Amino acid sequence: MSSPISSPFSSLSSAPQGSSSAHPLAAYGWDDGWAAEFAPYAAQGLLPGRVVRVDRGQCDVVTPRGTLRADTAFVVPRDPMRIVCTGDWAAVDPDGDPQFVRTLLPRRTAFVRSTSSKRSEGQVLATNIDHIAICVSLAVELDLGRVERFLALAMSSAGGDALLRDGASAVDGAAETLVVLTKADLVPDAATLSHLVQDVERLAPGVQVLPVSSATGEGVDVFAAIVSGGTSVLLGASGAGKSTLANTLLGHDEMEVRATRDMDGKGRHTTTTRNLLVLPSGGVLIDTPGLRGVGLWDAETGVGQVFSEIEALAGQCRFHDCAHEAEPGCAVQAALKDGSLPERRMDSYRKLLRENQRIVAKTDARVRSELRRDWKRKGAEGRAAMEAKRGRVR
């Protein structure tokens, strides 16, 4: 029989399997809801646990008996978004050799991005999360378009199994999103830092934007208070300071970090797996590898929230199906002309909508059909315009 990995919970194997704060998994987020979900598996003699790391077909699962190294081969779904992921709550067979994850409890939330695969598959980066912290480094010029992309995905993350089951995005169950501007100490001018914060705040009104510095401690106490309740995930590009921030919150160097390149502020992938860490001030933190690509996945709801001012303008257009191009009475075009709506903002909105529509079309026959009809209509209009132009030339 496989022996458990050393864990501070090893001495708590005799603790009751209830849902009170005395439960050995309470620090990892165990509550009455998870206890109720697990009840049928407890009757089968299985052990509850939270996945803290996944690699090479195996995972580390924290259980009341300690941290077990379990095989994920028993959970091999056809849907790639149902594979075992860091943050999952699992039912583990404690007496097997090797030990297996037998099943996963229904996910409350899931952060999903599109993979680079041409098959349009989703990749789950973290599950059962309460806070999504988008880390953006101030060591380089702000890429507002990339921040908008992260925000659109984050705001579409919601009831995990509902999202996996039918593509729904239950906004009421979405994880809370905030933007963390890391390495704030590299912007010594307070006025400049304030302007940078305002630039990001304008991208999504209502989303908290917090400048922090792991070097000076600025904003760290505020961030620690935010993530002290529930499970939080750090997302961002390599070199954004995620692992340094995680180490600062932990109070020791748990995650390896490397220096970024001076020329562009980019870092190498120091963190190669998603790791779930218990914070001393309370709460659980998932540190993730740097993301080179952030492909949208069923993010229409999030795009609408991030670009809420454009959606509001669209509701004022003369025609309900206005494409916001050359139609008369278009409120969006009017805002572009008078400068109240920046061209960059509109370009980003269109780009994300088109990308999301292409992703959805790959898995939705109705959307594919609508896209084909739209392409044919635009093609016919283009040919007619060309013929008319040739006629005038003659």
Side-chain angles (χ1 to χ4, degrees):
M1 181 186 302
S2 301
S3 59
I5 300 172
S6 177
S7 164
F9 293 120
S10 297
S11 61
L12 300 174
S13 58
S14 60
Q17 298 294 309
S19 57
S20 70
S21 59
H23 192 278
L25 294 178
Y28 285 86
W30 183 262
D31 59 26
D32 290 346
W34 292 122
E37 291 282 359
F38 187 77
Y41 306 108
Q44 301 172 27
L46 299 180
L47 202 63
R50 192 159 196 194
V51 178
V52 298
R53 177 188 173 100
V54 181
D55 62 276
R56 300 173 183 172
Q58 293 187 313
C59 62
D60 293 342
V61 186
V62 174
T63 75
R65 297 188 186 179
T67 303
L68 308 178
R69 185 69 170 169
D71 201 308
T72 64
F74 198 88
V75 184
V76 186
R78 294 181 180 180
D79 186 343
M81 291 201 297
R82 292 185 182 275
I83 61 175
V84 178
C85 180
T86 301
D88 276 329
W89 284 97
V92 183
D93 182 352
D95 300 320
D97 188 10
Q99 290 156 324
F100 284 92
V101 171
R102 290 293 174 177
T103 189
L104 300 178
L105 301 188
R107 292 165 175 167
R108 293 179 181 175
T109 56
F111 185 92
V112 185
R113 70 164 178 176
S114 175
T115 66
S116 57
S117 169
K118 294 182 179 179
R119 293 176 294 181
S120 180
E121 295 177 342
Q123 179 188 20
V124 183
L125 299 183
T127 64
N128 300 313
I129 45 180
D130 302 290
H131 309 283
I132 297 174
I134 301 169
C135 297
V136 181
S137 172
L138 292 179
V140 294
E141 183 178 355
L142 278 177
D143 184 343
L144 297 180
R146 187 175 181 85
V147 177
E148 287 166 340
R149 177 179 290 272
F150 267 110
L151 284 169
L153 267 177
M155 291 182 172
S156 295
S157 67
D161 278 358
L163 181 133
L164 299 180
R165 182 171 58 251
D166 54 18
S169 291
V171 178
D172 289 341
E176 179 185 356
T177 302
L178 67 152
V179 178
V180 180
L181 300 180
T182 63
K183 307 182 184 181
D185 56 291
L186 299 182
V187 186
D189 181 59
T192 301
L193 180 59
S194 177
H195 286 308
L196 291 172
V197 171
Q198 291 172 18
D199 286 343
V200 178
E201 286 176 338
R202 279 192 285 267
L203 301 182
V207 172
Q208 183 172 2
V209 180
L210 180 66
V212 303
S213 170
S214 296
T216 66
E218 176 186 356
V220 173
D221 56 341
V222 177
F223 184 61
I226 293 172
V227 301
S228 63
T231 299
S232 305
V233 60
L234 300 179
L235 297 168
S238 297
K242 300 184 301 298
S243 294
T244 301
L245 181 56
N247 287 338
T248 302
L249 294 173
L250 288 168
H252 63 273
D253 291 342
E254 177 78 17
M255 306 303 298
E256 182 184 358
V257 296
R258 294 177 183 169
T260 57
R261 297 197 299 254
D262 291 336
M263 67 183 76
D264 57 11
K266 293 183 178 179
R268 291 173 290 177
H269 286 292
T270 305
T271 302
T272 56
T273 59
R274 293 180 284 279
N275 302 279
L276 188 146
L277 312 163
V278 174
L279 300 176
S281 58
V284 176
L285 188 71
I286 299 176
D287 187 22
T288 65
L291 300 177
R292 289 193 180 95
V294 194
L296 298 185
W297 181 264
D298 191 27
E300 183 177 356
T301 299
V303 172
Q305 289 181 274
V306 174
F307 298 91
S308 58
E309 82 279 23
I310 299 179
E311 299 260 313
L313 285 169
Q316 301 172 25
C317 292
R318 182 183 302 177
F319 303 107
H320 75 276
D321 58 348
C322 183
H324 317 307
E325 293 174 351
E327 296 87 348
C330 176
V332 174
Q333 283 297 321
L336 288 170
K337 289 177 181 178
D338 66 25
S340 59
L341 176 62
E343 286 279 358
R344 186 210 67 79
R345 186 83 167 149
M346 187 64 187
D347 290 343
S348 182
Y349 173 68
R350 283 173 169 155
K351 179 180 179 180
L352 295 182
L353 275 185
R354 286 195 301 267
E355 179 182 333
N356 189 70
Q357 192 175 41
R358 286 196 299 270
I359 291 295
V360 174
K362 290 181 179 180
T363 56
D364 191 315
R366 180 183 58 80
V367 175
R368 283 199 302 273
S369 178
E370 290 176 354
L371 278 178
R372 290 194 190 98
R373 285 198 297 270
D374 189 50
W375 291 336
K376 289 180 180 179
R377 178 182 59 79
K378 289 182 177 179
E381 291 174 352
R383 289 190 294 273
M386 185 61 70
E387 289 298 328
K389 182 177 180 180
R390 286 173 179 170
R392 287 194 298 270
V393 171
R394 294 192 187 114

